[in-house]
């Protein structure tokens, strides 16, 4: 996978990473690190593809370790119509 990295996007020290499949140019994963109310926050979005269709965010995870908080959202059973 190829990576596109951006830093200091919203706040100093932020980091975003897009991982892209070089053969299709499809985004496969998005990772981020930032700070919210002085607490570190990290997350990732993993993408999947509907057969013959578009990519979608299959799994989204956000973690705030200082608050002992983690959220995971899963999307599945998409059908191309």
């Amino acid at each position: 996978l190829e990576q596109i990295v951006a830093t200091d996007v919203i706040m100093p020290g932020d980091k975003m990473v897009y991982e892209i499949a070089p053969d299709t140019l499809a985004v496969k994963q998005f990772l981020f690190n930032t700070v919210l109310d002085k607490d570190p926050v990290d997350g990732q979005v993993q993408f999947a593809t509907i057969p013959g269709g578009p990519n979608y965010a299959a799994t989204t995870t956000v973690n705030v370790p200082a608050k002992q908080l983690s959220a995971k959202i899963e999307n599945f059973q998409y059908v191309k119509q």
Side-chain angles (χ1 to χ4, degrees), residues 1-15:
L1 295 176
E2 300 290 328
Q3 290 189 341
I4 298 174
V5 179
T7 57
D8 303 330
V9 176
I10 297 173
M11 302 180 68
D14 284 354
K15 183 176 180 181

Side-chain angles (χ1 to χ4, degrees), residues 4 9 15-16 21-22 25 27-28 30 32-33 36 40-41 44 54 58-59 62 65 74 76-78:
I4 298 174
V9 176
K15 183 176 180 181
M16 297 184 341
L25 300 180
V27 176
K28 294 296 184 179
F30 170 72
F32 68 89
N33 295 302
L36 177 65
V41 177
Q44 67 177 4
T59 305
V62 178
E74 295 181 338
F76 54 91
Q77 296 183 339
Y78 281 97

Side-chain angles (χ1 to χ4, degrees), residues 26-75:
V27 176
K28 294 296 184 179
Q29 184 166 241
F30 170 72
L31 308 161
F32 68 89
N33 295 302
T34 190
V35 175
L36 177 65
D37 295 333
K38 300 181 183 178
D39 293 327
V41 177
D42 66 82
Q44 67 177 4
V45 180
Q46 295 178 327
F47 292 86
T49 303
I50 297 171
N55 286 2
Y56 64 95
T59 305
T60 302
T61 305
V62 178
N63 302 300
V64 186
K67 304 283 188 202
Q68 297 180 335
L69 176 67
S70 181
K72 183 175 187 178
I73 300 168
E74 295 181 338
N75 297 304

